[in-house]
Amino acid sequence: MGDTLRIGVLISGGGSNLQSIMDAVASGSIPSAKIVAVISSRKDAFGLERAKKAGIETFFIDPKKCVSAEEYSLIIADTLANRSVGLVCLAGFMHKIENPLISRFAGKIMNIHPALLPKYGGKGMYGHFVHEAVLKSGDQESGPSVHFVDEEYDHGPVILQKKVAVLPGDTPEKLAKRVLTEEHTIYPEAVKLFSEGKLKIVDGKVNIKKSD
Ligand code: GRF
């Protein structure tokens, strides 16, 4: 058994994805991992309460107190590095992260997005707007993507996706709920694969090593 993977999670809101990773770690589904820090960009994010309840160290780091996005990313990067974090999970984090955070954790930052990337990603494509765009397009399916993070919004190599049907009579809220249910399965699964050293980026694509 290898070393314990130390995970930092970045949130801005409810933290249901954070909860799914916390639950997977607590239940032993992700055996050699520990969440060592939860950082929120919002003081009132409910995810902070979830983390505190589980005894995880929490931080509210206020973007408004920073002169630039780079300074904000630097403070976050230092907070994570000081706790020897080996994987950073963005889970509903509503800020674009910059260098030095991206460069210092290259290949070690994941994000979850509520659409089948590369469709419906990029600036302005979050929450409600994503599902509205999917419904407008007439697509028959949607679903979440977990991907590695690079310098562009929602752009890095996809790790896992799960398709869900778009149903007649769907509203953005109904579709969001169906997609979120699957997010809670694929995010812990992606973290588990990472913790087992099974994810490799080759030519801009993720290779998943098969179980022995
Ligand atoms: C999720 O829909 C995720 O795909 C997006 O933000 C939302 C976060 O939800 N990036 P929660 O805070 O994890 O409940």
Side-chain angles (χ1 to χ4, degrees):
M1 176 128 357
D3 289 344
T4 299
L5 174 68
R6 295 171 66 81
I7 301 171
V9 185
L10 272 52
I11 61 164
S12 299
S16 68
N17 279 287
L18 161 68
Q19 186 73 54
S20 72
I21 300 168
M22 278 169 31
D23 290 349
V25 171
S27 70
S29 304
I30 309 175
S32 34
K34 185 177 178 192
I35 302 174
V36 296
V38 170
I39 298 175
S40 174
S41 63
R42 289 184 50 179
K43 200 176 181 176
D44 60 353
F46 181 63
L48 286 174
E49 301 310 316
R50 296 180 189 266
K52 280 180 197 156
K53 208 169 148 195
I56 299 168
E57 196 178 10
T58 59
F59 303 85
F60 160 52
I61 304 182
D62 191 353
K64 292 191 201 96
K65 294 231 166 90
C66 297
V67 294
S68 64
E70 285 74 17
E71 187 193 80
Y72 189 55
S73 282
L74 172 65
I75 296 171
I76 293 173
D78 283 345
T79 307
L80 296 169
N82 287 340
R83 282 154 189 84
S84 306
V85 162
L87 174 66
V88 183
C89 294
L90 311 186
F93 187 64
M94 297 300 286
H95 294 267
K96 186 171 182 297
I97 62 166
E98 305 283 345
N99 283 323
L101 181 53
I102 299 175
S103 54
R104 274 165 63 184
F105 290 89
K108 295 177 180 172
I109 309 177
M110 289 181 183
N111 180 42
I112 185 137
H113 185 77
L116 297 171
L117 293 173
K119 286 178 129 184
Y120 310 108
K123 207 167 189 316
M125 273 294 163
Y126 59 89
H128 187 85
F129 298 109
V130 174
H131 305 296
E132 216 169 52
V134 172
L135 292 178
K136 232 184 209 163
S137 75
D139 280 3
Q140 303 286 299
E141 54 190 19
S142 187
S145 306
V146 183
H147 66 97
F148 281 116
V149 170
D150 65 12
E151 278 83 0
E152 276 177 62
Y153 260 124
D154 302 326
H155 176 264
V158 168
I159 302 164
L160 292 175
Q161 292 184 313
K162 181 74 195 279
K163 288 182 179 161
V164 306
V166 174
L167 301 175
D170 259 351
T171 59
E173 292 74 23
K174 283 185 188 169
L175 181 56
K177 205 169 160 208
R178 201 172 308 123
V179 171
L180 190 64
T181 301
E182 298 304 335
E183 293 183 29
H184 298 157
T185 307
I186 65 166
Y187 212 172
E189 180 60 25
V191 172
K192 181 178 195 295
L193 290 167
F194 184 93
S195 72
E196 293 167 339
K198 289 188 176 157
L199 301 179
K200 214 169 158 194
I201 303 173
V202 181
D203 297 332
K205 287 209 156 72
V206 175
N207 277 1
I208 303 179
K209 198 176 158 215
K210 298 243 160 35
S211 292
D212 307 314

